[in-house]
Amino acid sequence: MDVTSKLVGVAASEGVAVGPVFVHSPGELKPERETIPEGTADVEIEHFQRSVEAVVPKLSETAEKMREAGNDNEAAIFDAHIELAQDPELAEGVAERVRNLESPEAAVLAVGEEYAEMFAGMEDAYMAARADDVRDVARQISAEIMGESSLGLEALDRPSVVLAHGLAPSDTARVPKGMALGFVTAEGSKTSHVSIMARSMGIPAVVGVGASIEEAFKADVVAINGGEGYAIADPDEEAISDIERRQAELDTERAELEQYKDTEAHTSDGRRIEVSANLGSAAEAAGALEWGAEGVGLFRTEFLFMERDELPSEDEQYAVYRDVVEAFGEKPVIFRTLDVGGDKDLPGVEQPVEENPFLGWRGIRMCLDVPELFKPQLRALLRAAAHGNLKMMFPMIVDADEVRSAKAMLDECRGELESEGAEIGSVEVGIMVETPAAALCAADIAGEVAFFSVGTNDLVQYTLAADRGNERLRHLQSADHPAVLNLIGQTCKAAEEAGIWVGVCGEAAADPSLIPRLVELGVKELSMSAPSIPKAKKVVSEV
Ligand code: PEP
Ligand code: MG
């Protein structure tokens, strides 16, 4: 490539680098055979089962390696892959196709794709990004069936910037240590796994650059600026010195941020702001504490429900919630009760097809209608509360009546547990303020709860009538809009009058340009992905 060209995408992981290009283009995994001869189905189904058995220890080994290196978040991804690989529905789907004389290597790819499409259609960006996990697992099993054991980037033998259409977690995890200077991908969003992993590995990443990746494949060298969301193919001297300048700034900034990890954040005039972590699994707890989390401001419990076929039992939930509160000791952990519904398929609960799933039967609406779903979770939370500082909050609330109904169900569970002689703890109850209605009724609701946590991701989409996943509406996907800030201000005012506190757990909580505004409005707690914590503490100290 002789002309410098700029690839613009999503700023997925901060950091800069300049390095040789490594194109990861494994191509489509082609099944060796599409069909199998009649009479061989049973043997081929066994072949599939043996291949799953061969893939699982490799996944455990990778998870173990990650855990030893202290990367619990990545380890959790591979634990989930093991569950996917052993999923009985996947096995049954493959067996059915093989009985119809489809080859197992083709069948597993096809069933994996069906699952992936189901995930990709989900409204929640995190769940949609799980589509890549399913494809990744299906590819590994298919490759194993065909006797191809390597699909990854282990061939990378000099520090390089990795360019790819998309990167699966197993790809990123197999990169030999220190060999990836950055990731640039055509696909992906801020919540896809390449972004999550890049952030926790501290590797710069720009995702979602689209078709421009093809041109960049021809480059020799790429410069990447993950914080600003661009990469430059065959950069000229000026572009390289820009990157070097930014690198020097970042080095200074990171060294300076170290000191904030273990501090309590106070504004310059002495107001105390708690900075906490958003978690999706118990495995993330240790890493969050290392980043300086003062608690958990949002534990998204739905991941525990959605990464499996059946509803988790009360005991299973209790074990997870207990692990998390124990890891945090006296620090508060806020569990958000189940927030699924609409187009999110929850195994074990029949869900209607809806015209407008964003405006549908989701969150607390569904939980109140299905006590057999909600009550085991409430019971598990009450029991886990005996082991730490546990709080809970309800999602998608629109008025005080809903809060009263949810609390009535909680009281019912408490009564049942007491009469059973179970050990339970006291629990503060709050709500997510993520609908304009909740913000507008905040004064009324405040009398029912101990805190509010503003979910700006949904509050923005409902206030501005702008689908949070729609690429064309990026300019309407920020909490920095007077309508949204007015609602947050109104929420804080109502809370103050009622003597309760307000936190923010949507993306806006980690946005350095918004933190001062949120604090001025009266927000007392900010909760975010763990690596953003030190910087947020610093920004608070400068308010
Ligand atoms: C939110 O809506 O801001 C939020 C934190 O919840 P979620 O992103 O899980 O909808
Ligand atoms: Mg939400």
Side-chain angles (χ1 to χ4, degrees):
M1 202 181 210
D2 25 82
V3 194
T4 293
S5 75
K6 191 165 181 178
L7 294 81
V8 178
V10 176
S13 176
E14 184 150 57
V16 292
V18 180
V21 168
F22 182 93
V23 177
H24 176 61
S25 181
E28 283 296 292
L29 186 67
K30 288 257 179 299
E32 269 163 13
R33 309 160 297 170
E34 288 297 337
T35 56
I36 52 168
E38 236 168 282
T40 61
D42 286 348
V43 177
E44 292 292 355
I45 290 171
E46 265 176 43
H47 186 181
F48 162 76
Q49 285 158 348
R50 274 200 314 279
S51 304
V52 170
E53 279 161 24
V55 163
V56 167
K58 291 183 194 168
L59 292 168
S60 320
E61 206 180 296
T62 315
E64 212 35 56
K65 252 179 25 203
M66 294 284 153
R67 213 160 263 131
E68 276 163 18
N71 295 331
D72 284 348
N73 292 358
E74 289 73 15
I77 292 170
F78 289 96
D79 290 341
H81 280 198
I82 294 173
E83 274 187 38
L84 284 169
Q86 294 174 323
D87 186 317
E89 270 183 45
L90 176 81
E92 189 39 48
V94 171
E96 200 178 313
R97 282 173 174 264
V98 174
R99 283 193 285 271
N100 288 325
L101 302 183
E102 190 169 331
S103 73
E105 62 266 33
V108 69
L109 290 176
V111 178
E113 192 53 36
E114 280 168 18
Y115 267 49
E117 278 167 21
M118 185 190 86
F119 277 113
M122 289 180 182
E123 135 210 345
D124 185 305
Y126 184 93
M127 291 316 295
R130 301 292 72 76
D132 291 339
D133 294 329
V134 188
R135 288 193 182 101
D136 190 15
V137 169
R139 279 165 53 86
Q140 289 181 64
I141 301 173
S142 180
E144 185 70 38
I145 295 170
M146 294 186 282
E148 295 174 22
S149 57
S150 164
L151 292 168
L153 281 160
E154 46 278 75
L156 196 52
D157 57 2
R158 61 172 178 162
S160 309
V161 179
V162 176
L163 267 54
H165 282 284
L167 284 173
S170 60
D171 294 326
T172 6
R174 286 196 194 112
V175 175
K177 206 168 166 39
M179 293 297 157
L181 298 173
F183 297 117
V184 184
T185 63
E187 299 159 4
S189 67
K190 222 166 181 158
T191 47
S192 51
H193 264 138
V194 58
S195 308
I196 295 173
M197 293 181 80
R199 280 199 291 273
S200 52
M201 290 155 96
I203 296 174
V206 178
V207 304
V209 300
S212 58
I213 198 85
E214 296 286 344
E215 270 304 298
F217 280 171
K218 299 178 208 150
D220 297 319
V221 171
V222 160
I224 171 173
N225 184 333
E228 286 176 31
Y230 72 84
I232 295 179
D234 285 331
D236 56 18
E237 265 176 38
E238 198 189 329
I240 293 179
S241 56
D242 275 353
I243 293 287
E244 284 168 353
R245 205 168 25 247
R246 183 67 194 131
Q247 182 65 63
E249 283 167 14
L250 280 172
D251 288 347
T252 315
E253 202 175 293
R254 282 194 184 135
E256 209 185 287
L257 284 177
E258 266 302 304
Q259 58 173 307
Y260 289 94
K261 276 189 181 170
D262 295 323
T263 60
E264 288 187 345
H266 291 272
T267 60
S268 54
D269 62 1
R271 281 170 289 167
R272 168 93 172 95
I273 307 293
E274 270 181 40
V275 184
S276 303
N278 290 352
L279 305 187
S281 71
E284 294 166 37
L289 283 162
E290 273 170 33
W291 281 106
E294 297 183 67
V296 177
L298 166 64
F299 187 101
R300 290 178 162 102
T301 59
E302 55 273 14
F303 298 148
L304 175 64
F305 285 70
M306 299 186 73
E307 286 173 359
R308 46 188 295 146
D309 303 322
E310 301 135 20
L311 297 174
S313 68
E314 176 186 321
D315 282 347
E316 283 172 280
Q317 292 186 60
Y318 162 68
V320 174
Y321 305 153
R322 178 181 169 160
D323 277 355
V324 183
V325 290
E326 283 185 344
F328 277 82
E330 287 175 5
K331 297 185 166 95
V333 179
I334 306 177
F335 289 92
R336 174 176 71 188
T337 59
L338 192 57
D339 184 22
V340 290
D343 65 342
K344 288 187 212 163
D345 189 20
L346 183 60
V349 178
E350 206 169 312
Q351 281 173 257
V353 176
E354 296 178 309
E355 281 276 317
N356 284 300
F358 285 119
L359 308 178
W361 193 53
R362 47 176 310 208
I364 198 68
R365 304 167 182 190
M366 178 171 166
C367 283
L368 289 175
D369 287 348
V370 191
E372 58 276 27
L373 177 66
F374 200 25
K375 284 181 65 181
Q377 177 169 51
L378 296 175
R379 287 171 55 100
L381 287 167
L382 285 165
R383 288 170 57 200
H387 304 277
N389 184 356
L390 186 149
K391 303 178 197 291
M392 71 169 82
M393 62 182 174
F394 305 124
M396 287 293 293
I397 291 289
V398 295
D399 58 35
D401 273 348
E402 277 179 346
V403 184
R404 283 189 279 270
S405 305
K407 281 169 59 186
M409 225 175 258
L410 183 64
D411 284 342
E412 204 178 303
C413 293
R414 195 179 286 116
E416 283 170 16
L417 287 164
E418 276 166 2
S419 62
E420 289 162 24
E423 197 193 353
I424 59 173
S426 61
V427 175
E428 274 186 9
V429 174
I431 62 152
M432 297 271 302
V433 175
E434 53 185 345
T435 64
L440 293 166
C441 295
D444 206 11
I445 301 174
E448 297 291 338
V449 294
F451 63 93
F452 288 143
S453 183
V454 182
T456 48
N457 308 341
D458 275 317
L459 187 61
V460 169
Q461 83 160 343
Y462 291 129
T463 306
L464 304 183
D467 179 343
R468 66 194 255 187
N470 188 327
E471 296 251 325
R472 290 194 189 86
L473 303 179
R474 269 192 201 159
H475 62 295
L476 293 176
Q477 285 159 350
S478 163
D480 190 8
H481 186 286
V484 179
L485 293 170
N486 273 341
L487 288 173
I488 300 175
Q490 202 164 321
T491 305
C492 290
K493 193 161 170 281
E496 199 185 335
E497 278 163 14
I500 65 170
W501 59 271
V502 179
V504 173
C505 63
E507 285 295 308
D511 182 339
S513 68
L514 275 170
I515 289 175
R517 310 270 283 282
L518 297 172
V519 170
E520 288 312 330
L521 288 172
V523 167
K524 301 280 190 287
E525 178 238 34
L526 297 164
S527 192
M528 60 202 66
S529 71
S532 305
I533 289 174
K535 185 148 188 187
K537 287 185 175 176
K538 175 173 190 282
V539 176
V540 167
S541 72
E542 287 162 357
V543 172

